[in-house]
Amino acid sequence: MSESATMDAPRKKTKKKRERATAESMAKSQREISVSEFFAKNRHLLGFDNPRKALLTTVKEAVDNALDACEEAGILPEITVELKALPKSGDDRYLVIVQDNGPGIVRRQIENIFGKLLYGSKFHRLKMSRGQQGIGISAAGMYGLITTGKPVVIISKTRKSKPAHEVVLKMDTSKNKADVVSETEHPEDDVLFPGGTGTRVEIELVGKYLKGNRSVDEYVQLSAIANPHTRFVYRSPATASAPDGEETIYERTVHELPDQPQEIKPHPHGVELGTLIGMLERTDATQLGGFFGSEFCRVGPKVAQQVAKAAGLTTRSWVKNVGHAEAERLFNALQEVKVMGPPTNCLAPIGVKTMLKGLEQGLRPDFITASSRPPAVYRGRPFIIEAGIAYGGDLPSEDQARVYRFANRVPLQYQQSACSSFKAVIETSWRNYGLQQPRSAMPAGPIVFMIHMASVWVPFTSESKEAIADYDEIRKEMKLALQDCGRKLGSYLRRRQKMKREGERRSIFLRYIGEISKACNGITGTDAEELYEALMSTAQRKTAEFDVVLDQDGKVVDDGGRLANDDAVFLRKETAPDAEEDPGEEAQSESQDTLFGADEDATETTPKKKRVKKKVKKKVRKSKGR
């Protein structure tokens, strides 16, 4: 081969030898991951997907903590939410301020509550509360620190005799703990807490403020509906339409705190085998009888004896001698033995009357009904489903129905289609109750559905607590509550249609009674005025449904059908412009002017007839509240 051919031939690439990792080299790169470091990289799991949602999540977590603290301390909550836009910062920065009149926070706990993830008092107890995981408010402070670099400011006052204490801190995500930037006593901040105690949280973050659905404005409104015992003061940021911002106050309509829920023990039907083995290893009881009595609810001596006997043991068997095989037999026996359902004093539902007041204040509809189901159980955990329906009034009639979802009195505004509440509404046949509903879709009309789940542990679909998991037991209870409300709504709509028909019938009667009376007088000589009175009385009797009267509480004064004496129904009081005057009387006087006036000429009578028709029709419409 020639030298040139040798030079033109492609050179063979030498393969670089791959370095193989060994167990020792791999072990050097492995290290523990901090939980705060994980959530800092995956903050979308906590509800901080985008700036708009992050702003809402921050307000939500702070308000939830404030409500829980006030209720546990036995204080009627007064909560102030303020959003301040910071335009000079160069991006969409906001200062979120949430202040309450609760018991305050002791100094040594402030950095743990606001600077450490998965720290709290609610995770291990079976008791209804808004917060559960110990993540929310500390995650909001972490998001603010990541997006703006600014620490969280906490001002707490625990006693009237002590000055307010200000703590500025930021989170060290690599160690999941707080670094205190500064802490000082601030007597000048005592004016912020006229009641003598309270907490104020300030978080600066990158966010986006918009009105409408899934906004902070809607969250505060829904929170006022679900918590009518709370007074909310909401100050929105400055906008082009409102340069100084807007202040909205939701006054409390209920002046009593909800019943304080009590902590309960786990129910045996909700415990899995591995959990039971762990409980046997950690218990302080020495014998099985004491173990069942101290670790479970609804397991008395008789039930414990039945379980032990079915497992081939006795209540005096030593716990330390129970191995895996014995534990599995105990587990199977627990599932077979009949045990009373768990107690419900661990729950604090909203209540039917409170739901009616909340929906009436927040929406101003014509009709409201509510229903509360008996307690039920999923995986051994008790829960109560409550539902409400608001119809008519100020609600938009052209849109599809809206669903307000709540879990432990907290509004759920995202992931609607994944929520069991939304699926329960879709699967209910609303045509049976007089509503228009396309197939597999929401019904249309001026209607709002409200569904609330109260539980010691709400099964959310994610850590951001935005949707309730679709358990069969939960969805069944939701549908039953909605159907109960639907039956009352159907009765109301049918009665309203009947009143409409009766009003149309009366308008026809009033249109021709005068002419009939006058014609009979001309033919038979019968007294026209006497005949007119008799016909008017007959018309009112035949259309009596049109004269339904409501009292100051919205209840029907007459028999009113099934809705009259139902405490779970609210009807808005319809007040005509001249409430004391009977529309039939005015129509009667106008007709009498036509019949018995001075001028009997036909040319004069015809225009007066038209005028009477127009006035009577207008008055009838007003009396029907159109």
Side-chain angles (χ1 to χ4, degrees), residues 441-463:
M442 293 288 292
I447 186 169
V448 167
F449 299 100
M450 174 180 175
I451 300 179
H452 174 240
M453 178 179 182
S455 177
V456 296
W457 185 263
V458 179
F460 292 113
T461 57
S462 66
E463 293 85 354

Side-chain angles (χ1 to χ4, degrees), residues 203-257:
I203 301 176
E204 186 175 333
L205 49 80
V206 172
K208 188 174 184 180
Y209 172 76
L210 292 173
K211 291 181 176 290
N213 293 335
R214 296 181 294 184
S215 64
V216 178
D217 303 55
E218 185 187 56
Y219 167 78
V220 176
Q221 180 191 18
L222 294 178
S223 296
I225 290 175
N227 302 274
H229 61 284
T230 304
R231 182 178 186 267
F232 285 97
V233 178
Y234 171 56
R235 301 186 183 100
S236 62
T239 58
S241 58
D244 298 329
E246 297 178 357
E247 181 177 282
T248 307
I249 299 177
Y250 297 92
E251 296 289 352
R252 63 171 59 94
T253 57
V254 176
H255 297 274
E256 294 180 0
L257 283 167

Side-chain angles (χ1 to χ4, degrees), residues 51-70:
R52 184 188 182 191
K53 193 174 177 183
L55 185 66
L56 170 64
T57 303
T58 301
V59 172
K60 173 183 171 183
E61 297 296 348
V63 171
D64 288 354
N65 285 4
L67 285 170
D68 275 339
C70 290

Side-chain angles (χ1 to χ4, degrees), residues 365-366 549-554 570-576:
D366 287 338
V549 180
L550 305 179
D551 63 16
Q552 61 183 359
D553 296 323
F570 166 85
L571 296 170
R572 180 190 284 187
K573 185 177 180 181
E574 298 178 1
T575 53

Side-chain angles (χ1 to χ4, degrees), residues 9 43 46 48 96 98 245 372 405 522 527:
R43 59 189 185 220
L46 302 178
F48 298 93
V96 177
V98 177
S372 181
R405 302 170 292 128
D527 187 354

Side-chain angles (χ1 to χ4, degrees), residues 2 94 147 153 176 229 278 295 512 575 582:
S2 65
Y94 290 87
T147 55
V153 179
N176 189 30
H229 61 284
E295 300 294 335
Y512 297 110
T575 53
D582 187 355

